[in-house]
Amino acid sequence: MALLRLDNICKKYNQGELAVMAIKNINLTIEKGEFVSIMGTSGSGKSTMMNILGCLDRPTEGHYFIEGEDVAQFNESRLADIRNKKIGFVFQSFNLLPKLSSVENVELPMVYAGVGRKQRRQRAVEALTKVGLEKRIYHKPNELSGGQRQRVAIARALVNDPSILMADEPTGNLDTKSTYEVMGIFQQLNDEGVTVVMVTHEPDVAQFTKRIVVFKDGNIISDKPVENRTLREGAVS
Amino acid sequence: MNIYECIKSSFFNVFSNKMRTFLTMLGIIIGIASVIIIVAIGNGSQAAMEKEFESFGTGTLQVSLVSSRDIETRDLLTMDDYYMLKELDGIEYISPTYSGSNAYVKLLDPTETNRANVTGATGDYKYINNDNVLYGRYISDNDVEMRNNVCVIQDTTALKVFGYCNEDVIGEKIKIKSWKGTTKLTVVGITENTDTSSSNYSDEYPENIIMPITTCMKVFTGSTLGGISIVLTDASQSEVMQERIIAALEDFHGNEDKYYIMDTTDMVESINSILSYVTLFISFVAAISLLVGGIGVMNIMMVTVTERTREIGIRKAIGAKNRDIRLQFITEAIILTGMGGISGLVIGYIGSVFVGNIVGISPVMSVTAIAGAVGISMLIGIIFGVAPANKAALLDPIEALRFE
């Protein structure tokens, strides 16, 4: 059974009289353990794709199976549950809550999952340790660098042990050094078995992944494995 | 998300902008404080009023002459009326009353006097006035008949006149000064002064002295009664008895429409109802200020939701359900108004003591008012928090995340 399977997914937006098809009849399967990048120019439909994959939005037509369960027409509350337990999000602009410390930010998904206080703290610290921020757990986002903030966001995405990690231009706001750091973390997590789907428009960032799906005008125009993959320092190929 | 987490996070958010929180709460604080002050002072004056009438004795009928110009000599109430009414059926206690005017009692320091309220009555007055005899005895019908120069004073008066209050006071003499000169009266009894409130009346007449009506009329050279106080055997028969008493008096004097009877129970009731109307009206005005405060809270909550659109988007993206978001914002509104309510309660309490001091009424705090104030302020939080909370809950996560 595929981890994610999209079956004839369409998304239509009504802009006044005009109905715009953002994505058309998309069929896509992602297996467990994959590291996929979704590429395309702006307006290609890759963001719409990401929103549907991340259960932030519902497709107008088609079926979307996550671990065999069709979530395409789930109601708001059940989608929230899926986002909480099966999906981990990493955003371009980090999207951390500025008034909370790193560890409190990482605890947040567990608050909504109903995890107890002690266990929450323990798991949040573990997740922060995993991304190398064990010394920054009480820092507020504005006391951290961009790369560190994104690592906090990754820890937050991982902490509920999701089936899939969704990253939307995760390196878009980072310098080259931090980009390498963050992509290295994604590769390492993927090596440990985490499935990662990432939207990017930077080809060199996509080179870190294993498979590139290219969108254009709402269609998939190319879907192939990455050759000459960029590997993080110290990785065993 | 459990309720504990929700409350904790709401407190965090409310306190992260202290100035705004304070200004938002101000409307509620003022509203609740004014309600508390009004209710406490209202209850206080009601209690003071009841106390005043209690010493009078509720359920008492006061027979008096109407105040009008065409009163003739034959209409005046005299002791004969008392003896006549005394024979009527259905009367438990009856006492004629006569008030000595402009009387002063000499205090321990012979150069000092205090204004006194001197009442002439009969033995039954003890029951009409609900007097509790501490030492000695009350005036008796024998005193009335013999025009004895005796009196009953209150414990507070005894302290001021003799410097002590015990059995030894009985048999001592007090001096009453009036325009007629000084009269010496032997104290035969001491009653308890139950009037603890400081009303204007008790300030003006600090001493209450009761003496046989005949003696009183002799001292103050009066021949007509101030009135006749009656306690009925059956209070529910008040209306029937009032008619019978009036009829008997009119028959006795051969006149019409010269007498009226005041039922103190009715009077307390009507004063209370006026007071409660006044309280109700002022409370209504205070309720409007609460409403305005509530709208202020709603306004700020709306602004907060807009400001925190992105946060709401983030929370939704990581798994917050609509109801989690709604609960959080309603909780924040309740915390705002609830804290405002509690602060208003404290300020209202202090304020009512302060206002009470100025107007001379001891404020009465009721548990109902306190619970009501806190309850109502929280209710305002719920009512005015729902709209902003719904706005927050129904935000589209994608739109919210895009918000700058």
Side-chain angles (χ1 to χ4, degrees):
Chain A
M1 186 177 61
L3 179 64
L4 305 182
R5 186 160 69 83
L6 278 72
D7 192 358
N8 268 316
I9 292 284
C10 295
K11 181 70 191 181
K12 220 186 280 179
Y13 289 109
N14 289 318
Q15 288 187 328
E17 298 283 290
L18 221 65
V20 180
M21 279 289 240
I23 50 173
K24 301 163 201 161
N25 304 326
I26 300 295
N27 290 293
L28 183 70
T29 302
I30 294 170
E31 299 291 340
K32 191 166 167 41
E34 281 202 81
F35 191 177
V36 184
S37 46
I38 295 174
M39 297 195 68
T41 53
S42 63
S44 62
K46 64 180 196 300
S47 290
T48 304
M49 188 71 250
M50 195 66 184
N51 289 337
I52 289 172
L53 281 174
C55 291
L56 287 168
D57 204 356
R58 274 181 287 236
T60 322
E61 278 169 49
H63 300 281
Y64 174 25
F65 298 93
I66 299 178
E67 293 175 326
E69 194 175 21
D70 187 0
V71 302
Q73 299 308 326
F74 268 19
N75 64 21
E76 177 279 328
S77 162
R78 292 181 76 184
L79 283 181
D81 254 343
I82 299 272
R83 290 198 295 268
N84 187 233
K85 300 199 172 77
K86 298 206 167 174
I87 297 167
F89 276 104
V90 178
F91 301 93
Q92 177 174 4
S93 48
F94 323 125
N95 280 342
L96 299 173
L97 297 188
K99 285 174 183 167
L100 301 186
S101 64
S102 306
V103 71
E104 284 166 336
N105 263 294
V106 176
E107 278 181 26
L108 213 51
M110 292 186 282
V111 169
Y112 290 113
V115 178
R117 197 144 51 103
K118 268 191 180 165
Q119 207 193 342
R120 234 160 46 203
R121 184 51 56 105
Q122 187 198 334
R123 273 165 62 182
V125 171
E126 273 171 27
L128 282 167
T129 309
K130 207 168 187 172
V131 296
L133 286 177
E134 64 276 12
K135 289 188 176 143
R136 297 273 188 279
I137 60 172
Y138 297 118
H139 286 58
K140 297 265 171 72
N142 61 5
E143 298 161 341
L144 299 171
S145 72
Q148 287 170 332
R149 286 185 213 182
Q150 198 59 299
R151 274 144 67 189
V152 174
I154 293 169
R156 181 179 67 185
L158 285 174
V159 80
N160 263 350
D161 204 13
S163 312
I164 186 155
L165 202 61
M166 303 267 179
D168 189 358
E169 304 267 12
T171 59
N173 281 356
L174 300 179
D175 58 22
T176 318
K177 184 171 165 282
S178 302
T179 299
Y180 270 71
E181 255 174 39
V182 165
M183 289 316 296
I185 290 172
F186 279 133
Q187 271 191 349
Q188 189 192 332
L189 291 169
N190 180 243
D191 287 350
E192 291 166 16
V194 178
T195 313
V196 183
V197 177
M198 182 179 79
V199 167
T200 183
H201 64 272
E202 296 169 82
D204 50 333
V205 170
Q207 279 304 110
F208 281 87
T209 66
K210 290 176 177 169
R211 174 184 169 189
I212 299 178
V213 177
V214 183
F215 272 75
K216 192 181 180 189
D217 299 331
N219 293 305
I220 295 175
I221 55 165
S222 128
D223 180 355
K224 49 191 172 192
V226 175
E227 289 162 19
N228 300 320
R229 198 175 166 221
T230 313
L231 290 179
R232 69 187 191 281
E233 275 176 53
V236 187
S237 60
Chain B
M1 191 172 185
N2 69 37
I3 192 79
Y4 168 74
E5 293 296 339
C6 183
I7 291 171
K8 203 175 85 174
S9 134
S10 299
F11 264 108
F12 178 82
N13 286 322
V14 166
F15 280 109
S16 63
N17 200 334
K18 293 188 186 66
M19 192 61 186
R20 177 192 285 187
T21 298
F22 170 71
L23 290 175
T24 311
M25 286 189 328
L26 205 55
I28 302 291
I29 293 174
I30 293 170
I32 291 290
S34 35
V35 170
I36 291 288
I37 293 173
I38 289 156
V39 172
I41 296 295
N43 285 346
S45 40
Q46 203 151 331
M49 196 74 72
E50 270 165 20
K51 195 103 195 187
E52 203 92 337
F53 275 96
E54 212 169 79
S55 59
F56 223 10
T58 49
T60 309
L61 301 184
Q62 304 280 349
V63 183
S64 4
L65 201 60
V66 291
S67 35
S68 98
R69 268 176 287 167
D70 42 274
I71 297 288
E72 294 165 41
T73 321
R74 63 172 180 140
D75 301 331
L76 298 170
L77 289 168
T78 65
M79 285 300 278
D80 289 339
D81 292 290
Y82 159 66
Y83 291 122
M84 185 271 295
L85 288 178
K86 207 177 167 187
E87 301 307 318
L88 277 183
D89 284 337
I91 289 175
E92 187 79 11
Y93 303 112
I94 179 165
S95 169
T97 56
Y98 179 86
S99 289
S101 56
N102 243 343
Y104 292 85
V105 57
K106 282 204 166 167
L107 301 184
L108 192 55
D109 176 349
T111 60
E112 274 190 59
T113 56
N114 250 1
R115 199 158 192 180
N117 178 29
V118 180
T119 306
T122 61
D124 271 6
Y125 199 66
K126 177 186 172 189
Y127 307 104
I128 294 166
N129 205 30
N130 287 331
D131 275 332
N132 179 23
V133 177
L134 298 173
Y135 304 105
R137 63 172 177 85
Y138 211 74
I139 52 169
S140 67
D141 287 347
N142 186 48
D143 292 327
V144 174
E145 214 169 304
M146 307 303 291
R147 299 189 183 188
N148 287 338
N149 274 353
V150 296
C151 69
V152 171
I153 60 173
Q154 291 181 318
D155 47 359
T156 46
T157 308
L159 279 174
K160 279 182 260 185
V161 175
F162 301 104
Y164 55 91
C165 174
N166 54 36
E167 293 284 355
D168 297 343
V169 174
I170 309 301
E172 293 289 328
K173 289 190 164 59
I174 62 165
K175 286 177 189 158
I176 305 281
K177 269 176 66 184
S178 67
W179 61 279
K180 282 272 291 174
T182 305
T183 310
K184 281 186 182 175
L185 295 170
T186 309
V187 177
V188 293
I190 298 174
T191 58
E192 187 184 2
N193 184 358
T194 51
D195 185 11
T196 50
S197 72
S198 73
S199 66
N200 289 335
Y201 188 75
S202 59
D203 283 348
E204 208 176 328
Y205 293 96
E207 321 307 337
N208 280 291
I209 294 161
I210 292 167
M211 53 199 280
I213 183 151
T214 46
T215 319
C216 196
M217 287 163 90
K218 182 181 72 189
V219 170
F220 293 94
T221 59
S223 57
T224 59
L225 304 177
I228 299 171
S229 299
I230 294 168
V231 172
L232 298 175
T233 316
D234 180 358
S236 65
Q237 293 298 306
S238 175
E239 277 178 40
V240 181
M241 285 303 292
Q242 286 183 34
E243 280 175 29
R244 278 174 62 185
I245 292 164
I246 299 253
L249 285 169
E250 287 174 349
D251 199 33
F252 194 62
H253 290 269
N255 55 14
E256 251 183 11
D257 299 334
K258 299 289 183 186
Y259 310 103
Y260 80 98
I261 297 179
M262 185 181 75
D263 186 337
T264 51
T265 314
D266 288 351
M267 190 146 146
V268 170
E269 272 168 16
S270 63
I271 287 176
N272 272 350
S273 82
I274 291 168
L275 257 181
S276 50
Y277 274 119
V278 172
T279 307
L280 195 72
F281 173 74
I282 305 175
S283 304
F284 177 72
V285 175
I288 291 174
S289 82
L290 270 181
L291 180 77
V292 174
I295 292 169
V297 170
M298 179 156 76
N299 189 17
I300 284 296
M301 289 305 292
M302 283 290 186
V303 172
T304 307
V305 169
T306 307
E307 272 181 358
R308 284 161 61 190
T309 299
R310 198 181 177 87
E311 177 197 323
I312 294 161
I314 296 168
R315 287 181 183 272
K316 283 193 158 191
I318 60 173
K321 294 181 169 67
N322 289 356
R323 62 158 191 263
D324 294 325
I325 302 289
R326 186 178 292 124
L327 186 67
Q328 184 179 339
F329 280 91
I330 288 182
T331 309
E332 281 181 30
I334 293 173
I335 288 172
L336 266 179
T337 56
M339 287 198 314
I342 292 166
S343 317
L345 193 65
V346 173
I347 291 170
Y349 180 75
I350 297 166
S352 58
V353 172
F354 187 71
V355 173
N357 261 333
I358 293 172
V359 298
I361 286 167
S362 47
V364 175
M365 280 294 192
S366 67
V367 179
T368 330
I370 291 168
V374 176
I376 285 172
S377 58
M378 288 182 150
L379 194 68
I380 288 170
I382 296 173
I383 292 169
F384 291 98
V386 163
N390 265 336
K391 183 182 164 196
L394 298 176
L395 283 175
D396 176 31
I398 298 166
E399 292 292 325
L401 280 170
R402 228 177 267 154
F403 186 85
E404 288 300 328

